[in-house]
Amino acid sequence: MKFLDQAKIYVRSGDGGDGVTAFRREKYIEFGGPDGGNGGRGGDIIFEAVPNLNTLIDFRYTQHFRARKGGNGAGSDRTGAASPAVVIKVPIGTQIMDDDRETLLADLDEAGKRVTLCRGGDGGFGNANYKSSTNRAPRRSDKGWPGEERWVWLRLKLIADVGLVGLPNAGKSTFLSVVSAARPKIADYPFTTLHPQLGVVRLSMTEEFVVADIPGLIEGAHEGTGLGDRFLGHVERCAVLLHLIDGAAGNVVDTWRTIRHELAAYGGGLAEKPEIIALNKTDAMTPREASARRAALQKASGAPVLLISAATRQGVPELLRLLQDKVTASRKDAQDQS
């Protein structure tokens, strides 16, 4: 399945049904009076977050959604049928943006969350509604109210607990394949990962968390260099960022500063998120090189640095335990606040 995290669609709710002008005509009833019914309500446009979707690819082929018009009224005081709502199912984490791509209309960040984006028009009144003591035979009936229409942008931000960030070829895909059942593409050239990947890490029967691997960042990503930084939106909801650095490539301090600069330039609170720094590919370094580069990185970042090798799993269990503790603490804080 191809991954798509942005789509533009057109939605229109249904118009209300028309009221009618009708009079009761029955044998032996001389003054039947008005009995025109009201029109039915038009269908709504509703968005719903469902757990079994993880891409917006369906909206590349279906871009227009229209609800039906409400039924017209009829004689004998019969009200027109209300039209059913059109329910558009989207992945959890989908944001609905206005056509300007800046105004947030809705954020469907929980399974089962629904939002009515366009309400159907009300039905028009039939002439029976206008009957009064002074107007015994009204001939007035109203048209139904029009529905609402608009173009909107759908933007998917994956729901994950841990976000993997780093330069291309830092070993993020290898790490994801080792700690989860995900099978991302792995190769010895930059930008092997072109789309975000999700993996579930299970430490025990009761402990698990979701990891999101996004395409690598390079200097100037916030200006569109490389694949740009739009995939950073998929780690905005993460509780903690795992910053993987290729220790065998050298210049670990410059690498760390490059990624931190891109996170700060993107915004969205990414620069303030808790960060765990891991120096990867220790199997390709001598112990002396690993120790020196770790010390330099700790001095520059002011935070502890873990030594791991995703290929040999050296230091990986300890890193996963640390990530699980961070995620568990974040979930507890969220529950306390709610």
Side-chain angles (χ1 to χ4, degrees):
M1 186 190 315
K2 187 172 181 181
F3 183 85
L4 186 71
D5 62 353
Q6 290 188 15
K8 185 179 182 181
I9 64 173
Y10 170 84
V11 292
R12 177 179 172 82
S13 58
D15 296 339
D18 300 335
V20 298
T21 299
F23 292 91
R24 184 180 181 186
R25 292 180 175 85
E26 294 184 34
K27 193 175 183 180
Y28 307 120
I29 299 179
E30 183 177 2
F31 302 105
D35 66 351
N38 302 330
R41 184 180 179 84
D44 297 333
I45 298 292
I46 298 175
F47 286 84
E48 180 182 7
V50 295
N52 58 341
L53 295 177
N54 56 14
T55 176
L56 299 175
I57 188 63
D58 293 340
F59 298 101
R60 171 164 290 180
Y61 309 106
T62 304
Q63 298 174 334
H64 295 78
F65 297 86
R66 295 180 175 90
R68 295 176 58 184
K69 176 184 175 182
N72 294 333
S76 300
D77 284 325
R78 287 176 292 178
T79 300
S83 293
V86 172
V87 180
I88 304 174
K89 297 183 178 181
V90 296
I92 302 173
T94 300
Q95 292 183 332
I96 305 175
M97 314 291 291
D98 202 0
D99 196 21
D100 59 8
R101 304 184 71 171
E102 295 181 358
T103 306
L104 179 64
L105 302 177
D107 189 0
L108 304 177
D109 57 353
E110 296 179 1
K113 191 172 183 179
R114 293 162 65 102
V115 59
T116 301
L117 191 67
C118 296
R119 299 191 64 84
D122 293 327
F125 289 132
N127 68 331
N129 187 76
Y130 294 104
K131 179 181 177 182
S132 67
S133 59
T134 57
N135 188 5
R136 306 302 296 272
R139 297 183 179 274
R140 172 185 172 182
S141 59
D142 299 335
K143 303 284 288 183
W145 290 87
E148 301 174 345
E149 62 178 340
R150 67 195 316 164
W151 284 91
V152 296
W153 279 90
L154 303 181
R155 184 183 182 189
L156 174 60
K157 293 184 178 180
L158 296 177
I159 303 295
D161 300 302
V162 177
L164 286 178
V165 296
L167 289 178
N169 272 6
K172 302 187 299 298
S173 296
T174 301
F175 178 83
L176 184 66
S177 67
V178 167
V179 302
S180 72
R183 291 295 173 263
K185 183 178 180 180
I186 301 173
D188 59 352
Y189 54 83
F191 298 113
T192 307
T193 301
L194 298 177
H195 306 289
Q197 302 280 342
L198 287 180
V200 179
V201 179
R202 289 185 174 89
L203 297 187
S204 65
M205 293 295 293
T206 59
E207 293 181 311
E208 69 177 31
F209 58 89
V210 180
V211 179
D213 173 25
I214 64 171
L217 301 171
I218 62 175
E219 186 175 0
H222 67 283
E223 298 175 346
T225 307
L227 295 179
D229 64 354
R230 77 180 183 93
F231 291 115
L232 281 176
H234 296 290
V235 297
E236 283 187 22
R237 307 178 191 269
C238 294
V240 60
L241 298 179
L242 174 57
H243 189 166
L244 284 185
I245 299 176
D246 183 358
N251 299 323
V252 293
V253 174
D254 292 341
T255 298
W256 175 79
R257 286 175 176 163
T258 296
I259 299 300
R260 293 300 302 177
H261 175 70
E262 296 303 324
L263 295 179
Y266 174 82
L270 289 184
E272 291 75 36
K273 281 189 176 294
E275 179 190 44
I276 295 177
I277 305 173
L279 203 58
N280 194 18
K281 303 184 182 180
T282 56
D283 56 310
M285 295 183 287
T286 64
R288 183 175 181 179
E289 289 176 334
S291 178
R293 292 170 184 175
R294 178 185 188 182
L297 190 54
Q298 288 185 152
K299 181 178 180 180
S301 64
V305 176
L306 283 72
L307 294 176
I308 70 166
S309 172
T312 64
R313 296 189 64 89
Q314 175 189 349
V316 172
E318 293 80 5
L319 174 58
L320 295 181
R321 170 46 56 190
L322 180 58
L323 290 172
Q324 181 65 69
D325 293 342
K326 293 280 189 181
V327 170
T328 301
S330 175
R331 291 172 179 170
K332 187 176 183 302
D333 291 341
Q335 290 179 352
D336 294 341
Q337 292 177 2
S338 61

